[in-house]
Every structure is written in C-alpha cells, then in structure tokens.
Amino acid sequence: MKILVTVKRVPDTAAEKRLDPADKTLDRESVETILNPVDEYAVEEALRLKEQHGGEVVVLCMGPSSALATVRKALSMGPDAAVHVHDDALHGSCAFNTAKVLQAAIRQVEPDIVLCGSESTDARTSLVPSALAEYLGWPGLTGAKQLEVDGATVRVHRETENGYDVVEADGPAVVSVVKGINEPRYPSFKGIMAAKSKPVTDYTLADLGVDPGEVGTAGATTEVVDFAPRPPRQAGQQVKDPGDGSAAVELAEFLAGHKFI
Amino acid sequence: MPRVLVLVEHEEGAAKKVTYEMLTKARDLGEPVAVFVGEGLETAREGLARHGATAVYAAGGDNRLSGPLTGALAAAADRAEPAAVLVAATPLGKDAGARLAARRGWGMLADIVDLDGDLVATQNVFGGATTVRARVRTGTPVLAVKPNSFPVQEAPAEPEVVDLDLAEGQDATRVTDHVVQEQGGRPDVAEAEIVVSGGRGLQDPSNFALVEALADTLGAAVGASRAAVDAGWYPHQHQVGQTGKTVSPQLYVAVGISGAIQHRAGMQTSKTIVAVNKDADAPIFAISDFGVVGDLFKVVPRLTDEVAKRKA
Ligand SMILES: Cc1cc2nc3c(=O)[nH]c(=O)nc-3n(C[C@H](O)[C@H](O)[C@H](O)COP(=O)(O)OP(=O)(O)OC[C@H]3O[C@@H](n4cnc5c(N)ncnc54)[C@H](O)[C@@H]3O)c2cc1C
Ligand SMILES: Nc1ncnc2c1ncn2[C@@H]1O[C@H](COP(=O)(O)O)[C@@H](O)[C@H]1O
C-alpha cells in the first residue's frame, strides 16, 4: 500500500504571530517554525498502516525552501520518502490553491490513501482536506479518531459531539485525523540521521503543470481587507475568598448582574 | 432581493441554534433560503419559518456526511443563484462548504464572527490576538459562521418547500454506526452559550463532577484544559485551546485552570470570562472579568448552590 501524508510547516505554537503589513499574509519568516502538531499524528497513523499492510509512506509538503527542515523532521519519524513543492509563486496561497497544488503532486505519487491532519495551528481553517478530496474526486473522511483499512474499505470513527460515527468508503480516500488518534513516536537518533539521506523530490509549479496565475497572492480566492490587533482584555474585579467559599456569593451576584442567572 | 443560502444544521429535524443565528443574519443580506438535508423536515419546518426562511430547499440523504450536504448546496445554488452561502463553522458545515467552493471554483472564509452588507467578514485569528476583515474574491462567497456570533431574532415567514430531487448518496461514503458515548443533555462545547471548564486544579478525574454540576445548573457545556485531557480525566472532544476547540461563548467559567497561552488561544474571545483559582497570579485572571482567588473545592459547590437557589 502506498500511503501519502500531507505535512505543513507552521509557526511555533508559543510564538507571537503577526501579519505582514505589506501584503497582509502571515509573516512566516520572523518566527520559529515547527511541523504542524496534528500532522505528527497523521505521520504516526501512516507508519502504523505500513506496519500492518506493508508498502511505503511518502510525505508531501507545500511550503518555501526553508520548509525542508519540516520535511526532514517528518521523515525522521520513519517515512520512506518525501515530496516538497516549492515555488516563489506560491506565496500567499489560500486553502483552495494549496489543495489544488497538493492534488497535482498527489497525482504524481499515485497513493492508495492520503492522510492529513485535521487542521493547521496557524490557519486553523480545516478546509484543505475536504477541498483536496473534492479536487481528487475521492471520498473525504474527516475528523478520524480511529482508522482502519480493510481490503478496499477505509473505515474511520468520526468524532461527534457525544460519541462517534463509524463512516466508511472505498479507497482511494482522503482521511484527516484528530489529535489523540494515536501516540506519535519520537524520532530516534538513528531516525534523525537516516532522514538526512532519504529521497526528497522537489517539484515546482511547472513540474506539476499548475499555472502560477491560479495560485499565490494572484490567484487567492480570498483577500484580507484590513487587520488590527485585538485590544487586550482588561482584568476586571478580583475577590479573595476568606476560605469558606463565600466569595461564591459575590460571583453569583456578578453572574446575575450580567443576566447569566 | 438577492437570496442567501443557509445550510440547516440539525439532528433528525431539531435545528441547532446556529441555524437560527445564520437565518437572522441572512435577513440583513437578502432573502434567506434554508437548505435541508435528511430526515425530519416536518419537524424543522416550523422553526425555519419562524426565523424568516422564505424557502426551504430539501434533499434526501444522510446529513452526517458531507457528500449529500455538498450535493444539496450545489443544486440549491444553481437554482437560487445566491449572493452568499452560509454554513455553520462546525466540522461538517466546513467540510460541505469547502467541497462546494472547490467544486464551483468559489472562495470561502472559515470561522467568521461578523459580516457586513458588502460581505466583508470578520475573523479572529492567532488565538484571538488579531482581528482580520476579509472578503471572497472569486465566485459566490461561502462563509462558515462561528456559533454564538449573531443574535437570534424571529421574523415569521411562509416558506415554500422545494424538493431538490437529488440522487441520494453522491459518493459511496456511508455511516454504518452511530455511537453515543456520553449521555446527551449538555450542549456541545463549541456551540454552547455558556462553557464551564475544568483543569489540573481539579486534582482527580472524579472531581469533574463539581464542574458538571455547575455546568448543569447554568445549562452549560463542559470544557477541559489540555492538562486535564492528557491526564485522561475528560474526553478529548471537550478540550479548549490551540490544539482543542476554539470557543466564543457568552460566558466562560475557568475552574482550576492556570490560563496558559495555548488555553487562552481557544477562549479569549468569550464575551465574559470568570475564573476560580487559588493562585492570585494565575494568568487566567489577567483576562477575567471576575476572578475568585480561592479553593475551588470550597467555592465551586457553593456557587452551584447559589446559582440553583437564584434560579429556583
Ligand atoms: C503545542 C501545545 C499545544 C497546547 N494546546 C493546549 C490546548 O489546546 N488547551 C490547553 O488547555 N492547553 C494546551 N497546551 C498546554 C498548556 O500549555 C498548559 O500546559 C495547560 O493549559 C495547563 O492546564 P491547566 O491550566 O489545567 O493546568 P495547570 O497549568 O497545572 O494549572 C492548574 C491551575 O489550578 C490551580 N489550582 C490547583 N489547585 C486548586 C484548587 N484547589 N483550587 C483552585 N485552583 C487550584 C493552580 O493554581 C493552577 O493555576 C498546549 C501546549 C503546547 C506545548
Ligand atoms: N501547505 C501545506 N502542505 C502540506 N499539507 C498541508 C498544507 N496546508 C495544509 N495541509 C494539510 O491540511 C491539514 C489541514 O490544514 P488546514 O486546512 O490549513 O487547517 C494540515 O493538517 C495538513 O495535513
């Protein structure tokens, strides 16, 4: 089985993120970057599928040349090879442009299944996996907290608000996984060393036959009109409980005053 | 008047509140047309009418799958030629919206919290630290609306029901089982008007009962910090924060939660925040409208009693 995992480079979770005033896109250069945390679960799930069914795991990342570090980080967990799509024209791509480009790369790799994270911590839109499924014309099984491949059938437990739905389709399919589906392995020292020499195929838009005018800032389907930092919240009233819980009465008073009770 | 499509979020015909929030907002933009997929149309119809739907476009199929939802939205859009399509910013709403936009070559904005007459949408990004106003440049805007962003107002209408007459099962995806693990009754944390969350300060999973009791008297959903979820004290679906859900309720109550940046990223756009924590320097207090410095084991049960008393 050929398993492809999409991984994204995102700003470090603790880093202060800001928009570049010049072109109103996320300033990704001024901050530390990491592998999107949820994508580690997708990589782990891919490795487990390979352990069960045999085959190979290919990592796919669209991002600037500097995202190679993210690709290597993913490879250090154990995948066999990677595809890195980078092209200056991709700067400022929207979720749909991204999905279009990922789709074109996926068609080159011809996997039996595509695994994505459920959302990226910077954009947090969760649009890419479904858009990708649509462009590929494959079933999209999102929000998986369990995944099973059984012959041609791909089956997931899809998280709902009070439990889960068992959803299945015939592969090839796009599956997005949620945090907690597994316990991602830590890269071993050997894995980190091995990752340095694993094959990484570089694609430009021309290699993929994607028109640069369709992607990046030029082809983005959405645009930022303006942005502003949100005014910081002010600390309000604070009361100290004398030790018997009676401050609860004041809190209840506050809640009643704001019509919550 | 231009038409605005609203994808109905429902369970067997019981529409979720966010549907009415979207119908109310849609009336500012044009004539709301509800798109309904699945069983329970008769149940849903009255509520949709009461909130101003001028038409209900209905289709069969499983409304827990994005395939039938996308098919219905696409067919409805062909008929109504809407100025915009509103879906709820829930996992399924976003899936259906994304697939519709991809299918038609349109643009989509996710998690919008406001929308003006020119279809410029407001989003809170970077954990609520930045407010962005954005618009769709390509095709019909598809907008995923965050629950609790718009008030609900009634405006009775008499909608015609139009059968979209779609072939069911747009693709071969199927739901083979629906498993309920937690007894319902409590609202979903991502959509609730009030959320009461517990953290590591609870010290033991059984003490989540204190949080649940307070939540139940307030009619609230239960949330949890990552520390509590990672310790296995409460299910992952309830995690609030950067790697959990982003919530924006009217009231957020943080119990025994320190307020780490990754937790704040998921809740700091809540309208009102209150916190109970024994550490006066806990960062959660810096963003709280009302903070109680004290032992949660003393304060929370007393608060539950006090709320119950006032509600009685
Ligand atoms: C990549 C990444 C992603 C993350 N994502 C998330 C996320 O999505 N959500 C999230 O919540 N966190 C997230 N975190 C973790 C976050 O950094 C914090 O570790 C976590 O929020 C702490 O949870 P807590 O407040 O429950 O625990 P603690 O920080 O341990 O705080 C417990 C609090 O309880 C108080 N307390 C203790 N006993 C009592 C008592 N008897 N009465 C009253 N108060 C008491 C203490 O004073 C303390 O302030 C993430 C971290 C990373 C690195
Ligand atoms: N530029 C990218 N390169 C590779 N994968 C991506 C990219 N952007 C998004 N993804 C994948 O899509 C998932 C959801 O991201 P998003 O839709 O941006 O919230 C991520 O977890 C990744 O698996």
Side-chain angles (χ1 to χ4, degrees):
Chain A
M1 184 157 73
K2 200 175 209 178
I3 307 148
L4 184 139
V5 200
T6 60
V7 299
K8 186 179 184 185
R9 182 187 81 139
V10 296
D12 191 354
T13 41
E16 191 150 330
K17 295 179 264 287
R18 59 181 205 97
L19 290 167
D20 186 333
D23 67 355
K24 298 177 190 150
T25 62
L26 177 59
D27 180 353
R28 293 174 205 267
E29 298 310 322
S30 68
V31 294
E32 290 287 305
T33 57
I34 56 169
L35 167 60
N36 181 35
V38 195
D39 295 347
E40 290 184 27
Y41 294 86
V43 173
E44 175 64 38
E45 204 57 27
L47 294 170
R48 291 185 187 195
L49 280 182
K50 175 183 162 179
E51 281 157 14
Q52 275 171 31
H53 301 276
E56 63 171 320
V57 176
V58 179
V59 163
L60 168 61
C61 177
M62 175 188 125
S65 312
S66 54
L68 182 61
T70 303
V71 171
R72 296 277 181 215
K73 168 78 200 293
L75 284 173
S76 70
M77 290 175 70
D80 303 285
V83 172
H84 182 190
V85 184
H86 50 113
D87 196 307
D88 291 343
L90 284 170
H91 177 76
S93 288
C94 70
F96 295 96
N97 300 162
T98 303
K100 235 180 239 171
V101 171
L102 293 177
Q103 170 224 211
I106 288 166
R107 293 203 189 274
Q108 302 282 326
V109 179
E110 298 189 314
D112 300 296
I113 189 168
V114 170
L115 304 188
C116 307
S118 57
E119 64 176 12
S120 51
T121 50
D122 55 348
R124 294 212 72 160
T125 62
S126 303
L127 301 182
V128 168
S130 283
L132 191 53
E134 186 68 28
Y135 290 136
L136 287 165
W138 294 1
L141 305 177
T142 56
K145 57 177 207 158
Q146 190 177 312
L147 167 66
E148 195 178 283
V149 176
D150 180 359
T153 307
V154 179
R155 186 176 303 116
V156 305
H157 288 189
R158 178 184 220 269
E159 210 169 68
T160 59
E161 55 195 66
N162 54 9
Y164 60 89
D165 286 340
V166 181
V167 186
E168 59 177 45
D170 296 335
V174 176
V175 175
S176 80
V177 309
V178 298
K179 170 190 165 262
I181 185 173
N182 53 40
E183 191 66 55
R185 66 196 68 185
Y186 285 106
S188 63
F189 179 68
K190 220 173 112 216
I192 295 167
M193 295 315 287
K196 295 194 166 120
S197 55
K198 283 181 178 166
V200 177
T201 307
D202 293 287
Y203 284 128
T204 61
L205 288 177
D207 295 333
L208 296 175
V210 176
D211 173 3
E214 269 185 46
V215 296
T217 323
T221 59
T222 55
E223 72 185 354
V224 170
V225 176
D226 53 37
F227 64 90
R230 211 182 139 84
R233 284 188 92 100
Q234 304 296 326
Q237 219 173 325
Q238 202 181 74
V239 300
K240 191 164 171 10
D241 185 66
D244 57 359
S246 57
V249 179
E250 284 165 80
L251 179 48
E253 196 64 45
F254 173 86
L255 295 179
H258 286 74
K259 309 228 159 24
F260 291 117
I261 323 176
Chain B
M1 278 256 263
R3 277 180 272 224
V4 176
L5 295 187
V6 172
L7 179 62
V8 177
E9 286 256 337
H10 71 99
E11 220 175 302
E12 284 158 16
K16 297 219 187 131
K17 188 168 148 269
V18 62
T19 300
Y20 299 146
E21 293 167 359
M22 291 191 288
L23 285 172
T24 304
K25 186 65 204 175
R27 298 203 304 264
D28 291 350
L29 309 166
E31 286 184 10
V33 173
V35 179
F36 184 94
V37 177
E39 306 289 315
L41 177 59
E42 272 317 302
T43 314
R45 191 180 168 177
E46 186 271 330
L48 300 175
R50 194 154 31 86
H51 293 89
T54 55
V56 179
Y57 288 3
D62 193 327
N63 68 316
R64 294 166 301 182
L65 293 172
S66 61
L69 296 176
T70 311
L73 282 175
D78 289 346
R79 246 170 214 264
E81 298 184 345
V85 178
L86 305 186
V87 297
T90 55
L92 264 176
K94 286 199 211 176
D95 282 353
R99 291 183 60 170
L100 173 71
R103 194 173 293 180
R104 290 285 187 260
W106 297 342
M108 173 169 179
L109 292 166
D111 301 317
I112 71 159
V113 296
D114 202 359
L115 188 61
D116 73 14
D118 299 325
L119 297 174
V120 173
T122 305
Q123 300 164 295
N124 291 318
V125 301
F126 308 151
T130 303
T131 303
V132 166
R133 295 198 320 134
R135 64 178 197 91
V136 169
R137 294 170 56 184
T138 319
T140 305
V142 181
L143 305 164
V145 177
K146 203 116 175 106
N148 289 313
S149 301
F150 301 116
V152 173
Q153 272 148 21
E154 297 188 358
E158 280 176 26
E160 50 160 351
V161 175
V162 180
D163 191 348
L164 287 173
D165 207 12
L166 295 180
E168 280 188 30
Q170 309 279 322
D171 57 35
T173 310
R174 57 234 168 232
V175 177
T176 56
D177 202 2
H178 177 70
V179 180
V180 176
Q181 287 173 313
E182 292 172 49
Q183 275 324 311
R186 276 187 208 117
D188 180 31
V189 63
E191 289 165 48
E193 275 181 71
I194 303 182
V195 175
V196 183
S197 289
R200 185 146 46 198
L202 288 167
Q203 286 164 25
D204 187 89
S206 63
N207 293 329
F208 254 92
L210 295 175
V211 170
E212 292 180 337
L214 177 58
D216 290 343
T217 50
L218 286 166
V222 173
S225 74
R226 174 159 167 182
V229 168
D230 283 356
W233 297 356
Y234 222 67
H236 163 72
Q237 289 92 297
H238 296 262
Q239 184 182 315
V240 172
Q242 188 160 42
T243 42
K245 296 199 163 130
T246 309
V247 303
S248 199
Q250 299 295 329
L251 172 64
Y252 188 87
V253 184
V255 174
I257 291 178
S258 60
I261 182 163
Q262 297 92 349
H263 187 79
R264 296 203 307 264
M267 46 65 74
Q268 64 186 348
T269 60
S270 304
K271 314 290 178 299
T272 300
I273 298 172
V274 306
V276 180
N277 194 304
K278 67 177 184 190
D279 174 8
D281 296 324
I284 191 77
F285 286 129
I287 60 163
S288 295
D289 300 287
F290 195 101
V292 174
V293 182
D295 182 1
L296 72 91
F297 296 100
K298 295 267 167 31
V299 177
V300 172
R302 186 99 186 243
L303 179 60
T304 305
D305 285 349
E306 198 64 31
V307 173
K309 228 176 10 193
R310 284 165 188 260
K311 281 206 162 177

